[in-house]
């Protein structure tokens, strides 16, 4: 694994101009908040980040698949055990569909327990003729559309830390304490999902899984003692945008002496902050967590290869996940040269597809939305490009929720434009609801069956 460069320290990013940071009004309050974060226990352990890296190395080698998904922006207000459980349920359902359908291990990574900051294309927005600062996430300020609510408050970073702690605690309990036990595969189907076509399809799949388990038991395999059937790993991730927060939670691992950003298992650098010579690349070059980088349509081949060199100089499998978000209409044209260049530079990266962020549009009535069909079409384009370039289509990166929201259009129980206002609850980008997510998982499993076979042949 990369040796931390001698000039690097958790604060060396401060020498560079960091994009997309809040203008904290009170430097003393900022310092106090960062000092408090530095005194807090880590959220995750270095050993866990290494385990995730090893799992992602399996993905990079074409032997596993990455499912990274969750909220666009977590909320300080919508924070409950039920909401966390429902998100986990849909993650487990999707993973069951993919694991069973494609016969591959699925590495599950949530956009959860720390996804509280948002980059913005424009620093301001107009609300009823008044210009106010854009919403940058609950770890920065409140989302209410007033100038006062949008004043950055660094104490919110400490609140974000505490909410992440509670979220992660519950996730660990659910995933290790019986809820994620494969024998409970039927119970993950929520009522509003179960009555839909994909919910019924899921019921049939769950029954097949149960039958397979009974078959194994009848063959004399002691299912009780097989830990993998009773517990799962769900790792945490968020965009490593707010560098004051990330620095505050960076610790040196006592075992290896390496630095880890202990705010999450995996961190990614967003489309707007991925300058290879920028502050974010500087900060993340020195921590040993697995990293993601979003790759949008403006990314050049040279930039992407530079980022690989900057963040993965030792070419460590699983260190880097490149998350392409090119748009359904451009993925065919833009992805192949990037796949080729990274392969030629010999970086064993995971290539994942974010079919959400390149496909946003506004309806006539003003809702920011995405269409299920277009989302699927970018995933198909991603698989086709990977197949043509003989690169493993390693995963997907999605925005979803376990709730019955109406934020994205389409799906088998179609959400239409006139439905959007019914339950449009997101703090930021439109999310797939649980039915649409399950629908997507079935489509994806079919694609993987074909793609996998074509690649192996
Ligand atoms: C996001 O993942 O919510 C996001 C802002 O993505 P991107 O950086 O790709 O625009
Ligand atoms: Co988003």
């Amino acid at each position: 694994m990369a040796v931390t460069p001698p000039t690097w320290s958790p604060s060396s990013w401060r020498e560079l101009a960091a994009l997309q940071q809040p203008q904290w009004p009170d430097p003393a309050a900022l310092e106090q908040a960062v000092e408090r974060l530095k005194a807090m226990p880590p959220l995750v352990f270095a050993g866990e980040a290494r385990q995730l890296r090893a799992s992602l190395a399996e993905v990079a080698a074409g032997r596993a698949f990455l499912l990274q998904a969750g909220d666009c922006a977590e909320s300080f207000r919508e924070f409950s055990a039920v909401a966390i459980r429902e998100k986990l349920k849909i993650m487990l359902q999707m993973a069951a569909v993919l694991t069973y359908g494609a016969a591959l291990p699925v590495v599950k990574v949530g956009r959860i327990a720390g996804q509280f900051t948002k980059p913005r294309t424009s620093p301001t927005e107009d609300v009823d003729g008044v210009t106010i600062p854009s919403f940058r996430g609950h770890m920065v300020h409140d989302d209410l559309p007033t100038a006062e609510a949008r004043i950055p408050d660094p104490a919110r970073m400490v609140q974000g830390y505490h909410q992440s702690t509670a979220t992660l605690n519950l996730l660990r309990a659910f995933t290790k304490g019986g809820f994620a036990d494969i024998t409970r595969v039927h119970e993950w189907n929520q009522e509003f999902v179960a009555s839909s076509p994909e919910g019924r399809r899921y019921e049939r799949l769950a029954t097949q899984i149960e039958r397979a388990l009974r078959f194994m038991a009848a063959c004399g395999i002691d299912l009780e003692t097989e830990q993998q059937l009773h517990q799962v790993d769900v790792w945490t991730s968020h965009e490593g945008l707010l560098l004051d927060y990330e620095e505050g939670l960076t610790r040196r691992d006592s075992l290896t002496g390496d630095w880890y950003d202990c705010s999450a298992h995996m961190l990614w650098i967003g489309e707007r902050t991925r300058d290879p010579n920028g502050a974010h690349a500087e900060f993340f070059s020195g921590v040993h967590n697995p990293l993601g980088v979003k790759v949008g349509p403006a990314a050049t081949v040279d930039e992407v290869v530079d980022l690989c060199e900057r963040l993965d100089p030792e070419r460590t499998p699983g260190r880097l996940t490149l998350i392409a978000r090119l748009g359904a209409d451009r993925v065919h044209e833009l992805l192949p040269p990037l796949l080729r260049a990274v392969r030629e530079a010999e970086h064993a990266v995971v290539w994942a597809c974010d079919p959400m962020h390149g496909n946003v549009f506004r309806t006539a009535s003003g809702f920011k939305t995405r269409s299920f069909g277009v989302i699927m079409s970018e995933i198909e384009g991603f698989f086709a490009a990977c197949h043509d370039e003989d690169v493993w289509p390693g995963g997907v990166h999605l925005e979803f929720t376990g709730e019955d929201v109406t934020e994205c259009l389409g799906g088998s129980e179609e959400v239409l434009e006139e439905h959007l206002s019914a339950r449009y609850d997101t703090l930021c980008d439109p999310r797939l609801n649980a039915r649409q997510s399950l629908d997507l998982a079935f489509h994806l499993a079919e694609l993987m069956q074909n793609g996998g076979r074509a690649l192996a042949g």
Side-chain angles (χ1 to χ4, degrees):
M1 186 59 201
V3 201
T4 305
T7 56
W8 187 92
S9 80
S11 63
S12 57
W13 63 272
R14 293 183 186 275
E15 306 295 315
L16 300 159
L19 299 180
Q20 298 280 344
Q21 304 303 292
Q23 301 298 312
W24 304 111
D26 179 352
L30 173 63
E31 202 184 311
Q32 202 184 7
V34 174
E35 285 311 311
R36 284 201 57 195
L37 290 174
K38 285 185 177 164
M40 296 289 172
L43 277 157
V44 306
F45 297 125
E48 295 177 315
R50 283 193 286 272
Q51 260 182 303
L52 173 58
R53 199 182 67 222
S55 297
L56 290 169
E58 285 297 291
V59 179
R63 292 189 291 263
F65 193 75
L66 167 66
L67 173 62
Q68 187 172 21
D71 271 306
C72 179
E74 285 178 275
S75 165
F76 282 4
R77 261 195 304 279
E78 308 286 306
F79 172 45
S80 70
V82 172
I84 296 165
R85 189 191 64 204
E86 301 311 276
K87 245 177 274 181
L88 178 63
K89 272 186 186 170
I90 185 64
M91 185 78 132
L92 293 174
Q93 282 190 288
M94 292 179 80
V97 170
L98 295 172
T99 310
Y100 193 78
L104 276 179
V106 174
V107 181
K108 297 168 274 297
V109 181
R111 288 175 61 117
I112 198 165
Q115 177 55 20
F116 291 111
T117 60
K118 297 313 298 173
R120 301 319 299 242
T121 304
S122 163
T124 59
E125 63 178 313
D126 284 335
V127 180
D128 301 329
V130 184
T131 303
I132 61 169
S134 296
F135 176 56
R136 292 186 178 276
H138 274 171
M139 208 139 80
V140 175
H141 50 202
D142 195 74
D143 58 293
L144 282 178
T146 67
E148 204 190 350
R150 299 286 168 87
I151 298 171
D153 174 5
R156 284 177 162 264
M157 291 194 287
V158 179
Q159 189 180 344
Y161 165 84
H162 287 302
Q163 183 163 325
S164 301
T165 309
T167 303
L168 185 51
N169 182 54
L170 195 61
L171 269 183
R172 290 189 195 277
F174 276 141
T175 53
K176 305 294 174 189
F179 183 80
D181 194 303
I182 191 71
T183 58
R184 298 176 72 169
V185 63
H186 276 290
E187 291 169 44
W188 306 330
N189 215 1
Q190 296 185 65
E191 247 169 68
F192 80 93
V193 178
S195 56
S196 67
E198 51 276 17
R200 287 193 293 274
R201 193 170 172 190
Y202 178 79
E203 283 299 322
R204 291 195 291 277
L205 179 124
T207 302
Q208 285 170 5
I209 292 175
E210 268 182 350
R211 203 173 291 152
L213 290 171
R214 283 204 299 273
F215 172 75
M216 286 194 288
C219 292
I221 296 168
D222 184 358
L223 301 182
E224 286 298 312
T225 58
E226 293 294 331
Q227 269 318 302
Q228 294 97 312
L229 298 174
H230 308 300
Q231 299 189 344
V232 295
D233 288 318
V234 174
W235 310 101
T236 60
S237 73
H238 60 260
E239 177 172 351
L241 181 67
L242 187 52
L243 293 177
D244 289 313
Y245 180 74
E246 304 307 336
E247 179 188 336
L249 287 171
T250 295
R251 307 280 182 270
R252 199 191 265 278
D253 174 30
S254 55
L255 215 61
T256 59
D258 289 335
W259 291 95
Y260 283 83
D261 181 345
C262 296
S263 71
H265 299 111
M266 176 182 183
L267 285 307
W268 78 86
I269 303 179
E271 167 67 3
R272 292 162 192 76
T273 50
R274 60 165 167 70
D275 175 356
N277 300 310
H280 289 80
E282 166 65 18
F283 177 77
F284 286 106
S285 70
V287 297
H288 287 63
N289 306 60
L291 301 176
V293 179
K294 292 288 197 85
V295 178
T300 65
V301 161
D302 286 347
E303 261 167 10
V304 173
V305 172
D306 274 5
L307 275 164
C308 290
E309 192 53 44
R310 183 92 174 90
L311 299 172
D312 177 36
E314 309 273 296
R315 290 167 171 72
T316 308
R319 157 71 165 175
L320 195 57
T321 296
L322 295 175
I323 307 163
R325 30 88 87 222
L326 301 167
D329 49 350
R330 304 204 58 197
V331 60
H332 307 89
E333 160 210 354
L334 297 176
L335 188 57
L338 300 175
L339 298 175
R340 275 198 293 279
V342 172
R343 189 186 47 210
E344 279 160 20
E346 295 180 350
H347 291 276
V349 304
V350 171
W351 274 103
C353 172
D354 166 359
M356 315 297 290
H357 289 89
N359 300 308
V360 188
F361 69 98
R362 241 176 233 285
T363 64
S365 50
F367 284 102
K368 204 172 165 191
T369 191
R370 301 156 164 153
S371 297
F372 183 85
V374 177
I375 290 170
M376 269 324 300
S377 140
E378 177 154 359
I379 297 180
E380 282 162 20
F382 171 82
F383 268 76
C386 288
H387 179 254
D388 289 350
E389 294 302 327
D390 209 10
V391 168
W392 177 245
V396 288
H397 181 115
L398 307 170
E399 288 181 345
F400 74 27
T401 170
E403 316 293 315
D404 188 12
V405 298
T406 53
E407 297 171 5
C408 289
L409 299 170
S412 68
E413 289 207 342
E414 208 170 353
V415 175
L416 301 170
E417 259 189 63
E418 59 262 34
H419 299 148
L420 289 178
S421 62
R423 287 179 303 283
Y424 194 94
D425 297 339
T426 186
L427 265 184
C428 194
D429 289 340
R431 303 159 297 175
L432 296 164
N433 65 31
R435 270 195 305 264
Q436 290 167 327
S437 305
L438 197 52
D439 204 357
L440 187 146
F442 278 114
H443 279 78
L444 191 54
E446 282 163 13
L447 266 177
M448 285 168 70
Q449 282 162 1
N450 298 335
R453 215 170 21 242
L455 196 71

